[in-house]
Amino acid sequence: MKIAPSLLSADFARLGDEVRSVAAGGADLLHLDVMDGQFVPNLTFGPLLIDAVNRLSDLPLDVHLMIRDPLALARRFVQAGADYLTVHCETVADPEGALAAIKALGARAGLSLNPGTPLQAVLPAAGAADLVLVMSVNPGFGGQAFIESALDKVRELRKLKDGGKTNALISIDGGINRRTAALAAAAGADILVAGSAVFGSADRAAEIAALRGA
Ligand code: DX5
Ligand code: ZN
C-alpha cells in the first residue's frame, strides 16, 4: 500500500518543513491538488508551487488537476515536475486522448472521477491509464467525510485489474483516516491519498505507518 500525503492540508508558511516531514515519515508520493475556482469552488496553486515542491524532495509528484481544460496547461505541469498527472473525466471530451496527450509529454497519466460520476465514464479509458483516482469526497476541500459508495468503484477496478483489463494504480482520495483506510485497502486500493489525517497529526511517520498498516 502506497501513501500519498496531500499538501492541501499542509502549513504553507512552512512548506519546506512540511514536505520534509512526510518524506522522512515514509510517504511514497506527494499529492498536489490543483484547483481553478471553476471546476471546483476553491483555488489553490499552479506550476510555480509544483516546481518548488519538486526541488524540496525526491518523491514522485502526484498532481491532481481539478481544473477546466486541463490539457491547455498539462505541459506546464509536466515541466514543473509532475510524475503522475491526473485529469478529471468530467473535464475532458476524450479521456483516452487526454491520457495519450499526457503520456506524450513524458508523464504518467491518470484519470479521476467525482463521487457522482459513474465508473462507466472511465472504463473505456481504464486500459490506457497509469492511475485511476477515485474521489471519495466531492473535490474542492480537505477534511470532508468519506463517501462510502467510492468503495464499490475501487472493488470494480480491482476486479478489472485482477482480470488483466488494466494495469492502472487504483488510488482513492478524500476522507481517508485509519478507519476508512482499512475499508479502502480491503476494497483493493493501491494508493491512499490523505491530507488532514497526515498533516493534522503531530507525528507524521506514525500516522503514515498507521494508514499503511490499516
Ligand atoms: C480534495 C482533494 C484531496 C484532499 C483530501 O478535493 O482532492 O486530495 O486534499 O483531503 P482529506 O484527506 O482531508 O480528505
Ligand atoms: Zn486530490
Side-chain angles (χ1 to χ4, degrees):
M1 177 64 72
K2 294 187 194 304
I3 307 297
S6 166
L7 287 174
L8 190 60
S9 295
D11 177 357
F12 278 66
R14 302 173 43 253
L15 190 61
D17 291 342
E18 295 284 67
V19 168
R20 284 185 286 271
S21 76
V22 294
D28 299 286
L29 304 137
L30 289 174
H31 185 87
L32 292 140
D33 289 303
V34 177
M35 305 184 187
D36 67 351
Q38 303 279 323
F39 177 63
V40 290
N42 195 9
L43 264 177
T44 55
F45 47 75
L48 181 71
L49 184 116
I50 310 266
D51 174 70
V53 171
N54 194 34
R55 288 182 284 114
L56 286 168
S57 153
D58 292 331
L59 287 176
L61 303 186
D62 173 30
V63 176
H64 177 191
L65 297 182
M66 288 159 276
I67 65 177
R68 279 192 191 161
D69 202 5
L71 295 182
L73 289 166
R75 183 183 302 276
R76 299 270 310 279
F77 286 101
V78 175
Q79 284 171 344
D83 294 286
Y84 287 88
L85 190 63
T86 295
V87 300
H88 269 260
C89 67
E90 299 88 356
T91 64
V92 290
D94 170 13
E96 264 193 278
L99 295 170
I102 292 166
K103 289 180 186 178
L105 294 171
R108 305 245 169 109
L111 195 58
S112 185
L113 74 169
N114 283 342
T117 300
L119 187 63
Q120 282 71 16
V122 302
L123 288 186
D130 295 307
L131 181 149
V132 176
L133 182 64
V134 176
M135 290 309 300
S136 40
V137 297
N138 285 302
F141 301 93
Q144 303 182 75
F146 186 79
I147 296 172
E148 307 257 341
S149 59
L151 295 171
D152 295 330
K153 294 175 181 172
V154 171
R155 273 189 283 270
E156 196 58 39
L157 287 165
R158 172 53 58 182
K159 257 191 249 165
L160 290 175
K161 197 168 166 174
D162 289 346
K165 301 265 198 297
T166 177
N167 289 319
L169 291 166
I170 304 167
S171 185
I172 184 164
D173 183 8
I176 293 292
N177 54 36
R178 294 177 189 200
R179 180 186 75 83
T180 58
L183 301 176
D190 298 303
I191 301 174
L192 304 176
V193 177
S196 49
V198 170
F199 287 99
S201 164
D203 187 342
R204 304 308 163 54
E207 188 60 31
I208 289 167
L211 292 172
R212 201 194 310 281

